[in-house]
Amino acid sequence: MMGKFVISTRKNGEFQFNLKASNGQVILSSEGYTTKAACENGIASVKKNAADESKFDKLTAKNGKFYFNLKAGNGQIIGTSEMYESEAGRSNGIKSVMENAPDGPVDDTTTH
């Protein structure tokens, strides 16, 4: 089983997506989008950029935990990871996005 993108609606009415690994764990989350079309464009951008390791910014939060951002060609952040306890965990998260995103199906929960 492969990972998938899940589109949902936030409490404020904005759309967002999460990329989930095959085990159901969220490995990448988007910002809020005002339209579903913009959210779908964000997913397309993740699919396009996820195979390029240079598009991942490896960062450390103020609390010492590790995370990453995936950026589009224009430098815009298109997804942010969860927090990881170790650099190795963050590296595994990046690897998981690179493996799951390019061919990940989309599950639109806003139409259910």
Side-chain angles (χ1 to χ4, degrees), residues 4 18 54-55 70 89:
K4 66 180 177 179
N18 288 313
S54 71
K55 300 281 175 68
L70 174 60

Side-chain angles (χ1 to χ4, degrees), residues 16-53:
Q16 77 171 57
F17 65 82
N18 288 313
L19 175 59
K20 293 187 176 186
S22 56
N23 64 3
Q25 181 181 354
V26 174
I27 51 177
L28 193 72
S29 298
S30 74
E31 303 292 315
Y33 295 94
T34 54
T35 66
K36 190 187 295 186
C39 186
E40 290 166 341
N41 286 341
I43 291 171
S45 185
V46 169
K47 288 183 174 201
K48 181 174 129 187
N49 290 287
D52 183 351
E53 195 166 358

